[in-house]
Amino acid sequence: MAKLLVVHMLSWPSVEVLQALVLIAWSEFGSGRDSGLWMYSRMAVGMAMDLGLGFEATVQLAATESEREKVRLTWWSTLLIDRINSWGTGRPIAIADDQFDTALPAVSQENEDHTKPPSTSFVFGHLCRLVQLRGKLGDVLNNKVKRQGSLDLDETFELSQLQHQMTMFYQSLPPSLIFNIQNFRRYSCHNQAAVFLLLHAMFHSVITLLHRPSLLQNFTPDVTLPLATSIDLSRSSARSIVDMVILADEVDQQALLANPFLDLTVLTAARAFLAERETLSKPPPNMSAITVVLTRQWSEASLERCKVTLAKMSKYWGGVGCVRRILDQQSAGDLDFDVGEPTTGDSHISRELTSI
């Protein structure tokens, strides 16, 4: 019904109609219709640009700061669904970062009085900052993978700078945004745990890949990524994702189940554990037998937890089923997979799902 009603409103753009398009795009993902997600998210971006929401000058026309922040939140919600959709399907983004100048949602230090609810934009604003950095990192790596060539000096420098910015971003998070049980419970009480969880899981998924580029090379065997590797750091970040998912499942399942785009971070962690399985099939000579056994048990248990998590999410979000099938086929050793369901018409989902 919503899709029928919104058609008649497309000729009268408004913030409310834009918000409806974003919600419909989420609904399409929940129904497992990848093409619908892409179409409605593109319609949302188009309407947002038509309204001028991509420019801070337009935002400033709102009468109050509360209304201005509402407009910013709407713009960034629209942009994020476009970005994450692009990462998942490999389709190009609708608008580049240099084509808009709307300020990020307010990320200034919130009131440390934990008896009061956190600002709506506080966690989300930091997530937007991370998405921008993640997108730039993905652009550099994916462009290199597609052309199967070496990074030039400018790209190498840019990648190094972005890696540093990622680290500085995480170190700059205020105490109230550090991931721990107390903070998680606080955001859970105010229905913000899903964004809090996604913020940290997304960061660790990028670190997992950046410090173990062979996780990308499984799907692009002729490409060498010139990154300093640290398998221990990659493994640690993958484990952090699983630990956070376990905590969310125990404390607030809604934070997990109401978080559809968490699926790509879980897939990244799972691929790290699959890499561990491959490594342990021929363990290095200096690894003791008991270390091999314990590491294998932990990796297999973590891999199973990733599968269980995706299975739970796919009950509510049909689009997660695609990621779940990827993991099942990779776990079975099949790297030449078709992730589409014949009944949905969305059988063209790109292998960018397995990229950064």
Side-chain angles (χ1 to χ4, degrees):
M1 179 60 72
K3 289 192 283 188
L4 293 176
L5 293 174
V6 81
V7 170
H8 302 287
M9 302 302 297
L10 296 178
S11 299
W12 293 277
S14 68
V15 172
E16 290 73 21
V17 175
L18 170 58
Q19 292 169 343
L21 288 172
V22 172
L23 290 174
I24 292 173
W26 278 69
S27 176
E28 291 295 286
F29 181 80
S31 299
R33 292 188 287 267
D34 165 67
S35 295
L37 167 64
W38 180 81
M39 181 181 70
Y40 282 101
S41 65
R42 285 304 172 93
M43 291 170 64
V45 172
M47 182 171 289
M49 291 302 294
D50 188 43
L51 291 169
L53 303 191
F55 303 101
E56 185 63 22
T58 303
V59 177
Q60 292 300 321
L61 296 176
T64 66
E65 182 56 35
S66 175
E67 292 177 359
R68 288 191 284 272
E69 194 63 11
K70 173 186 174 183
V71 173
R72 291 192 190 99
L73 288 171
T74 301
W75 165 258
W76 282 97
S77 296
T78 305
L79 194 73
L80 257 63
I81 198 171
D82 174 69
R83 290 293 190 269
I84 296 175
N85 182 27
S86 175
W87 299 335
T89 64
R91 295 186 176 104
I93 59 175
I95 180 171
D97 286 345
D98 59 1
Q99 293 180 305
F100 65 90
D101 62 12
T102 300
L104 287 163
V107 293
S108 58
Q109 182 63 49
E110 64 165 345
N111 192 327
E112 288 296 331
D113 184 356
H114 287 192
T115 62
K116 298 180 180 179
S119 165
T120 303
S121 63
F122 183 63
V123 184
F124 184 68
H126 282 87
L127 177 63
C128 293
R129 287 176 57 206
L130 177 59
V131 166
Q132 282 193 302
L133 291 173
R134 183 194 188 280
K136 292 175 182 178
L137 283 167
D139 287 343
V140 175
L141 293 181
N142 288 337
N143 286 339
K144 183 204 184 301
V145 167
K146 288 176 181 177
R147 69 171 186 265
Q148 296 194 3
S150 300
L151 290 173
D152 58 33
L153 290 178
D154 289 340
E155 289 173 326
T156 302
F157 178 75
E158 181 183 7
L159 186 60
S160 175
Q161 289 292 100
L162 288 171
Q163 287 177 287
H164 176 70
Q165 290 174 31
M166 285 286 294
T167 302
M168 294 303 296
F169 160 79
Y170 206 70
Q171 291 178 342
S172 69
L173 292 179
S176 59
L177 272 183
I178 300 301
F179 195 94
N180 56 44
I181 183 62
Q182 292 81 12
N183 284 338
F184 184 84
R185 288 186 184 277
R186 182 191 179 207
Y187 289 111
S188 175
C189 289
H190 300 289
N191 296 318
Q192 296 188 37
V195 182
F196 181 67
L197 176 62
L198 182 59
L199 170 70
H200 290 274
M202 184 180 294
F203 172 82
H204 282 290
S205 70
V206 176
I207 297 301
T208 299
L209 285 172
L210 286 178
H211 290 273
R212 197 167 190 175
S214 60
L215 296 178
L216 283 175
Q217 291 173 340
N218 287 339
F219 301 91
T220 53
D222 297 327
V223 177
T224 301
L225 297 176
L227 299 174
T229 61
S230 173
I231 292 179
D232 288 341
L233 183 56
S234 175
R235 183 187 298 118
S236 175
S237 282
R239 290 179 176 178
S240 293
I241 293 173
V242 172
D243 289 342
M244 289 186 288
V245 165
I246 291 174
L247 175 64
D249 198 27
E250 293 292 331
V251 176
D252 181 5
Q253 277 201 352
Q254 184 175 341
L256 195 65
L257 301 179
N259 210 342
F261 300 122
L262 190 69
D263 58 350
L264 297 181
T265 68
V266 174
L267 176 63
T268 299
R271 293 177 68 203
F273 302 127
L274 287 174
E276 286 292 297
R277 174 193 287 176
E278 183 177 348
T279 299
L280 294 173
S281 64
K282 296 180 180 179
N286 60 346
M287 182 177 286
S288 66
I290 186 62
T291 301
V292 171
V293 170
L294 293 177
T295 303
R296 180 182 290 118
Q297 288 179 347
W298 199 97
S299 296
E300 292 298 327
S302 297
L303 177 60
E304 187 60 30
R305 168 61 70 167
C306 291
K307 291 181 178 180
V308 169
T309 298
L310 292 176
K312 286 183 178 181
M313 294 175 64
S314 64
K315 292 179 181 179
Y316 301 91
W317 300 97
V320 176
C322 164
V323 177
R324 184 185 178 189
R325 291 190 295 276
I326 288 176
L327 179 55
D328 287 342
Q329 289 176 280
Q330 290 181 1
S331 182
D334 179 13
L335 300 185
D336 185 19
F337 47 79
D338 177 8
V339 299
E341 286 279 15
T343 57
T344 65
D346 288 338
S347 59
H348 58 281
I349 298 176
S350 167
R351 290 193 181 189
E352 294 293 335
L353 262 172
T354 61
S355 183
I356 192 168

